């Protein structure tokens, strides 16, 4: 898969929402055709979301799902390397 990053970084002003965010993101993926997502809190201000997909189209949808959930928590999602 070229030109589509396999991970993204989420930025939040308040990480007290981390557990709720992680639960909602996993639920969003569970309700889609894509099930593999790993959410890791890397530091005090960055959460990295690693995503896997079978093809470029799946990966683009995966990023769209993640972005929607991040925005619902008032954060910013940037697909790509840290």
């Amino acid at each position: 898969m070229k030109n589509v990053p396999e991970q993204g970084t989420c930025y939040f002003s308040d990480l007290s929402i981390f557990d709720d965010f992680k639960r909602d993101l996993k639920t969003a993926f569970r309700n889609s055709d894509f099930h593999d997502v790993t959410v890791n809190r890397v530091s005090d201000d960055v959460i990295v979301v690693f995503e896997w997909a079978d093809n470029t189209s799946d990966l683009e949808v995966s990023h769209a799902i993640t972005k929607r959930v991040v925005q619902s928590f008032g954060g910013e999602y940037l697909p790509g390397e840290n």
Side-chain angles (χ1 to χ4, degrees):
M1 293 184 295
K2 295 182 180 179
N3 302 321
V4 181
E6 294 181 4
Q7 69 181 32
T9 305
C10 308
Y11 299 94
F12 298 97
S13 60
D14 178 8
L15 284 177
S16 67
I17 53 86
F18 178 74
D19 290 332
D20 291 335
F21 163 72
K22 184 174 181 175
R23 182 194 65 238
D24 285 8
L25 184 63
K26 288 191 173 278
T27 297
F29 274 88
R30 198 173 304 121
N31 292 334
S32 73
D33 291 335
F34 313 107
H35 302 288
D36 288 328
V37 61
T38 303
V39 184
N40 293 307
R41 184 171 171 175
V42 177
S43 68
D44 287 340
D45 59 357
V46 177
I47 298 169
V48 177
V49 180
F50 297 93
E51 303 165 38
W52 296 268
D54 292 331
N55 56 54
T56 300
S57 178
D58 287 354
L59 195 52
E60 288 170 349
V61 170
S62 176
H63 286 303
I65 291 170
T66 304
K67 183 176 182 177
R68 186 188 77 238
V69 174
V70 169
Q71 289 176 337
S72 75
F73 280 90
E76 179 183 7
Y77 178 69
L78 299 174
E81 300 294 326
N82 295 354

